[in-house]
Amino acid sequence: MGRIYGVHLMVLLFLGMFMSSFCQDDDSDNFTAVYIVTLREVPAAHYEAELRRNSNGIRHGGASARLNIHKHRFRNISRTDKGYSSYIARVHDSLLRRVLRGEKYLKLYSYHYLINGFAVLVTPDQVDKLSRRREVANVVLDFSVRTATTHTPQFLGLPQGAWIQGGGYESAGEGMVIGLIDTGIDPTHSSFADHISEHPYPVPAHFSGICEVTRDFPSGSCNRKLIGARHFAASAITRGVFNSSQDFASPFDGDGHGTHTASIAAGNHGIPVVVAGHHFGNASGMAPRSHIAVYKALYKGFGGFAADVVAAIDQAAQDGVDIISLSITPNRRPPGVAIFFNPIDMALLSAVKAGIFVVQAAGNTGPSPKSMSSFSPWIFTVGSASHDRVYSNSIILGNNVTIPGVGLAPGTENDTMYTLISAVHALNNGTTVADDMYVGECQDSSKFNQDLIQGNLLICSYSIRFVLGISTVNHALETAKNLSAVGVVFYMDAFVIGFQLNPTPMKIPGIIIPSPEDSKVLLKYYNYSLERDIMTKRIVKFGALATICGGFKANYSSSAPKIMYYSARGPDPEDNFLDDAEIMKPNLVAPGNSIWAAWSSVGADSVEFQGENFAMMSGTSMAAPHIAGLAALVRQKFPNFSPSAIASALSTTASLYDKNGGPIMAQRAYAFPDQNQSPATPFDMGSGFVNATAALNPGLIFDSSYDNYMSFLCGINGSAPVVLNYTGESCWVYNSTIAGADLNLPSITIAKLNQSRTVLRSVTNVGGNETYSVGWSAPFGVSVKVSPAHFYIASGEKQVLSVFFNSTANSTTASYGRIGLFGNQGHVVNIPLSVIVKITYNTTNT
């Protein structure tokens, strides 16, 4: 693999010099911003995909009609053609020089593989000049984006299922390259070492990426496991938000998030998880034998920007990754004719055309309807669910009341009862609550009387300041240690209502009581047990006693999985007016809550895990790389599967039930989510909870092509000029347009059923010859009929299914059903149905 030396330093110096001269004028008319400019000439990936299809004897009328006009210019295009890249960059530079003669501007990137265009820092007047050029198709203002395991392989059944089918964990995902667009990676972590296995571990021949070399990402950081690493920060630097001391102008991860997600997807197998001095088991990625390529475009202090993310996507595709995983979402819904038309989603459409499977986190904006932050049908959107491992702690009071809590902490010795001392009752003579209203959070040991606290349990307040990161558990633990306390008990401030806590590591006995009601029980017992002087009201004796049981031991629940309250929900919005798209989102759910995974040595995303090699994190960011790793297993077994075929295999085999055999439940509220839950719908969980082993034997698959997606985009009202701007292709070359419900997806969503409608689906048999029977349950207010109700399908053959929907009730409330295809060889194919608005024929005239 190649290497780049010192490039980031030159870029920083140049940008600094440029910005100092460019930003002298404060006139708002000359305010500069980053814009993403797309040219009409189609990019290299489109030519390459067309040449690949033609070489296979496949013809598609849509894309090829336009490509044939130009392909004589680039007869020998390939991903690794450096001459083509430099040629396109020169074309971009020439255009900018001609249009902006003598004016100051700064080109940040040339996109040439998935998008033919560039990112440039210009003024509004310069944008107007560029927009009027015939070579220019589209100009979009840059926008910001944000970041949205020891046990999950067992919970997903990998050791006895999917891994066994591929020859065991030592070959699971072999030859696959997973590209992660995130906050970078800590290359020193043992999860990414290449000497763990004795088996040969060659870099796949189809990968051509490089490894940047910088002061904090030195030569040797990459190996046969971590085979590519780059960073993209030009847009962030031009905005003045990039801090090189904490953001690292290199692929190194100063946050922790990227290291975490990379190890979930493809971290090495059997890596010991040791946190706070305790061993919590051994970790493994979903595809432990897959290779990792990192494209850093997100940063600790500010998140990221679309121009940098698009550059990362473009480079990952050119390098030859098999899968792209994005645990990121936009900070706002993209404006325009439809939310699908934005630089990131359109770059990912080109990636799918190039054969890359794309996974994206749904977003952490749930549980409200239409809170989805991943939109397009060519992107596989993943929501977050719990798994069955739970760490719980408890404290037993002297009155025999047991209060549950959280805390990855040891218990007090031998169940000994210790005296409880509240921090606000153990202040130094010079400290009062009036002077420091937050002193009860135990952040400064100098404010307390050690003689009172020594050998006792210190009670501290857990307020909103902990949630915001102003106060930390680690500082409170340091205070307790300095004062020689036996342990710490945190009670929840009454103003922190329903906040969900991840288990927090503690090196001394400790517990956090997350419930304000339980916290009141603790404080009532504590205050009742105090003895005070009748005259002075001063405390003369602390009578409350307690013992902490400890929270290192995991418990296993039968109610898992369940959809987490923060996981973004459908229906998928089509535009900023919140019209409903006929696309089911999320596609499915995967483990995303309380996930152990690797952590950067300087990771600061979670202060409680600073300095640790592993961290427990929650979010759809953790769910997406689970699917990226499992998709690598599917592609390893079926190397000729298209991205949509991989998506189908994962979707149609998903589970609808929890471990106990009941329906998967979905949390419906941020506050007290376990008291506010009901059975999950397709807009909560998509097709269901991923079943890794079944996905390797799907029986039937639903396949969709790039041309299908183009026909869908062209079918959106008013979209033709936007499609031309983004893709360089005219909608007139497509024979017909289709609605979202008519895409050949493994689900059916109808936004408005006006009386009746017929939807077609085509399935391809990727198993042996089989006979299927069809069953279904209709959504409320709708009757459904599927034909044929029985069919025989030979291996490799296709079968068209006709699904007739008829509205039987007027309703604007979404209702749900399901179609099941049951094969006589054991295959079961599930197709979720969602109908939102239902309109019946009204025969009365008022």
Side-chain angles (χ1 to χ4, degrees):
M1 72 205 88
R3 288 177 168 79
I4 295 179
Y5 292 84
V7 172
H8 75 293
L9 180 60
M10 291 186 288
V11 170
L12 283 169
L13 290 172
F14 176 72
L15 285 174
M17 294 165 55
F18 179 85
M19 294 300 291
S20 64
S21 62
F22 194 59
C23 300
Q24 294 172 4
D25 194 340
D26 292 331
D27 188 337
S28 61
D29 291 337
N30 290 320
F31 176 76
T32 59
V34 176
Y35 289 83
I36 300 172
V37 180
T38 309
L39 303 187
R40 295 192 186 281
E41 180 69 65
V42 295
H46 290 244
Y47 290 108
E48 197 171 283
E50 180 65 14
L51 292 172
R52 186 166 56 247
R53 290 195 296 187
N54 288 346
S55 68
N56 292 329
I58 301 171
R59 297 290 185 273
H60 293 276
S64 59
R66 181 170 177 84
L67 289 170
N68 286 334
I69 299 172
H70 305 284
K71 69 180 180 183
H72 68 278
R73 300 186 193 175
F74 307 110
R75 294 187 182 278
N76 299 309
I77 292 172
S78 72
R79 280 189 299 101
T80 57
D81 191 341
K82 302 275 191 299
Y84 176 73
S85 340
S86 59
Y87 166 75
I88 289 296
R90 291 195 301 273
V91 170
H92 297 165
D93 291 337
S94 175
L95 173 63
L96 285 166
R97 283 194 300 270
R98 291 197 313 272
V99 177
L100 307 178
R101 301 170 185 254
E103 299 180 26
K104 293 177 180 177
Y105 63 88
L106 178 62
K107 188 188 78 171
L108 306 181
Y109 299 108
S110 273
Y111 309 127
H112 60 269
Y113 189 67
L114 297 179
I115 291 177
N116 180 10
F118 49 86
V120 62
L121 180 70
V122 285
T123 66
D125 288 344
Q126 292 172 320
V127 169
D128 185 57
K129 291 178 183 177
L130 284 167
S131 300
R132 284 190 264 118
R133 293 290 298 196
R134 61 180 178 79
E135 304 99 315
V136 173
N138 202 38
V139 181
V140 178
L141 181 66
D142 193 16
F143 57 89
S144 59
V145 297
R146 60 189 172 195
T147 54
T149 54
T150 57
H151 177 65
T152 48
Q154 284 74 23
F155 184 60
L156 294 171
L158 299 181
Q160 295 79 35
W163 286 350
I164 292 295
Q165 291 189 29
Y169 69 83
E170 287 208 332
S171 59
E174 188 162 4
M176 299 294 106
V177 182
I178 301 175
L180 295 111
I181 297 170
D182 215 298
T183 64
I185 196 167
D186 183 347
T188 67
H189 201 286
S190 54
S191 290
F192 314 119
D194 65 353
H195 54 76
I196 301 296
S197 172
E198 296 180 358
H199 296 282
Y201 204 13
V203 174
H206 68 269
F207 184 77
S208 60
I210 63 170
C211 187
E212 287 184 20
V213 174
T214 69
R215 184 178 61 186
D216 40 51
F217 207 84
S219 178
S221 294
C222 287
N223 53 39
R224 292 172 299 165
K225 175 72 172 179
L226 174 59
I227 60 175
R230 303 179 73 138
H231 87 287
F232 304 83
S235 182
I237 293 169
T238 63
R239 297 165 184 267
V241 298
F242 188 89
N243 182 339
S244 59
S245 64
Q246 70 173 19
D247 294 319
F248 296 99
S250 78
F252 188 81
D253 183 9
D255 180 273
H257 189 273
T259 300
H260 201 269
T261 56
S263 69
I264 292 171
N268 286 324
H269 180 270
I271 306 302
V273 178
V274 178
V275 173
H278 185 80
H279 182 227
F280 288 93
N282 295 328
S284 175
M286 300 300 102
R289 192 67 172 172
S290 286
H291 303 271
I292 294 169
V294 168
Y295 303 86
K296 178 179 174 181
L298 295 168
Y299 297 84
K300 173 181 178 292
F302 54 87
F305 298 97
D308 295 327
V309 172
V310 170
I313 295 169
D314 193 64
Q315 189 62 58
Q318 184 180 356
D319 289 348
V321 302
D322 298 286
I323 291 153
I324 290 177
S325 179
L326 302 101
S327 289
I328 61 173
T329 56
N331 279 327
R332 58 179 175 83
R333 288 192 178 97
V337 174
I339 56 175
F340 317 116
F341 296 110
N342 66 80
I344 293 177
D345 283 34
M346 295 309 291
L348 293 173
L349 174 59
S350 291
V352 168
K353 182 178 184 179
I356 299 168
F357 182 73
V358 176
V359 187
Q360 186 177 24
N364 299 333
T365 47
S368 300
K370 298 188 184 182
S371 53
M372 186 57 53
S373 297
S374 173
F375 314 111
S376 297
W378 52 87
I379 298 172
F380 198 79
T381 303
V382 188
S384 176
S386 66
H387 54 93
D388 63 344
R389 185 194 58 211
V390 178
Y391 291 98
S392 59
N393 201 341
S394 62
I395 181 171
I396 302 174
L397 305 180
N399 60 359
N400 289 324
V401 172
T402 299
I403 298 176
V406 297
L408 298 171
T412 46
E413 291 184 4
N414 302 320
D415 298 329
T416 303
M417 287 282 181
Y418 292 91
T419 300
L420 289 163
I421 307 285
S422 173
V424 296
H425 292 152
L427 302 176
N428 280 332
N429 290 333
T431 304
T432 65
V433 175
D435 295 332
D436 184 354
M437 63 185 295
Y438 302 113
V439 70
E441 296 174 6
C442 306
Q443 300 296 292
D444 184 354
S445 58
S446 67
K447 297 186 176 182
F448 299 99
N449 183 338
Q450 182 171 1
D451 293 336
L452 280 176
I453 295 171
Q454 184 173 351
N456 296 317
L457 290 172
L458 178 63
I459 300 177
C460 305
S461 168
Y462 192 104
S463 76
I464 192 68
R465 288 160 54 89
F466 285 80
V467 180
L468 299 174
I470 300 170
S471 297
T472 72
V473 170
N474 284 344
H475 281 149
L477 295 173
E478 191 65 26
T479 294
K481 182 180 177 182
N482 291 340
L483 299 172
S484 302
V486 170
V488 184
V489 179
F490 294 92
Y491 69 89
M492 189 62 64
D493 187 285
F495 293 103
V496 186
I497 300 174
F499 182 69
Q500 298 297 294
L501 288 171
N502 274 332
T504 302
M506 306 181 198
K507 293 185 178 180
I508 64 173
I511 186 171
I512 305 173
I513 301 171
S515 162
E517 293 303 314
D518 287 340
S519 296
K520 290 177 184 177
V521 172
L522 168 71
L523 296 178
K524 182 178 180 180
Y525 164 69
Y526 171 80
N527 289 321
Y528 180 80
S529 302
L530 292 173
E531 292 185 18
R532 296 180 181 269
D533 182 273
I534 297 176
M535 300 297 293
T536 64
K537 303 299 182 183
R538 291 189 175 184
I539 299 171
V540 296
K541 182 179 179 182
F542 296 92
L545 302 173
T547 185
I548 298 174
C549 296
F552 284 147
K553 186 177 180 181
N555 300 310
Y556 296 90
S557 165
S558 62
S559 61
K562 62 184 171 187
I563 313 305
M564 301 309 299
Y565 65 92
Y566 54 77
S567 188
R569 311 297 166 94
D572 190 20
E574 183 170 288
D575 50 40
N576 275 307
F577 299 106
L578 296 183
D579 292 331
D580 296 316
E582 293 189 320
I583 308 294
M584 189 189 72
K585 292 290 179 178
N587 292 82
L588 51 60
V589 293
N593 205 60
S594 299
I595 304 298
W596 280 121
W599 198 242
S600 173
S601 56
V602 297
D605 189 28
S606 175
V607 294
E608 315 306 350
F609 289 96
Q610 281 185 330
E612 301 286 358
N613 287 323
F614 284 84
M616 179 180 286
M617 303 292 287
S618 296
T620 55
S621 283
M622 284 67 246
H626 276 87
I627 297 302
L630 297 178
L633 304 184
V634 176
R635 172 150 280 179
Q636 181 188 19
K637 182 174 181 180
F638 301 101
N640 294 322
F641 265 21
S642 68
S644 62
I646 296 173
S648 174
L650 291 164
S651 298
T652 61
T653 58
S655 174
L656 306 175
Y657 304 101
D658 65 19
K659 279 182 62 179
N660 206 34
I664 294 175
M665 303 296 283
Q667 296 177 337
R668 301 290 178 197
Y670 175 85
F672 310 112
D674 282 333
Q675 284 77 52
N676 294 276
Q677 57 184 25
S678 60
T681 73
F683 290 154
D684 301 317
M685 66 175 181
S687 293
F689 184 81
V690 65
N691 183 333
T693 302
L696 296 179
N697 185 21
L700 305 176
I701 56 120
F702 297 77
D703 212 351
S704 294
S705 68
Y706 172 83
D707 285 355
N708 297 144
Y709 297 131
M710 287 294 291
S711 294
F712 157 70
L713 292 175
C714 288
I716 297 172
N717 189 31
S719 67
V722 188
V723 171
L724 178 63
N725 290 346
Y726 268 111
T727 67
E729 299 179 36
S730 174
C731 284
W732 68 262
V733 302
Y734 290 90
N735 295 327
S736 61
T737 61
I738 58 175
D742 297 314
L743 279 169
N744 197 42
L745 302 175
S747 61
I748 300 175
T749 298
I750 297 177
K752 182 182 289 186
L753 178 60
N754 192 346
Q755 299 179 51
S756 63
R757 181 173 178 177
T758 298
V759 175
L760 302 180
R761 286 293 184 268
S762 175
V763 294
T764 303
N765 187 1
V766 295
N769 299 346
E770 196 161 2
T771 299
Y772 282 85
S773 60
V774 184
W776 60 86
S777 61
F780 176 80
V782 179
S783 65
V784 173
K785 183 179 181 181
V786 184
S787 58
H790 303 273
F791 60 91
Y792 168 82
I793 183 168
S795 179
E797 294 300 312
K798 297 180 183 294
Q799 172 68 51
V800 174
L801 300 174
S802 175
V803 186
F804 177 75
F805 294 85
N806 184 59
S807 179
T808 60
N810 290 309
S811 174
T812 57
T813 302
S815 54
Y816 313 98
R818 197 164 294 273
I819 297 172
L821 310 180
F822 305 93
N824 64 351
Q825 300 300 314
H827 292 111
V828 177
V829 177
N830 281 305
I831 308 165
L833 310 175
S834 307
V835 181
I836 302 173
V837 176
K838 295 160 282 282
I839 302 171
T840 62
Y841 181 67
N842 191 346
T843 58
T844 62
N845 292 311
T846 303

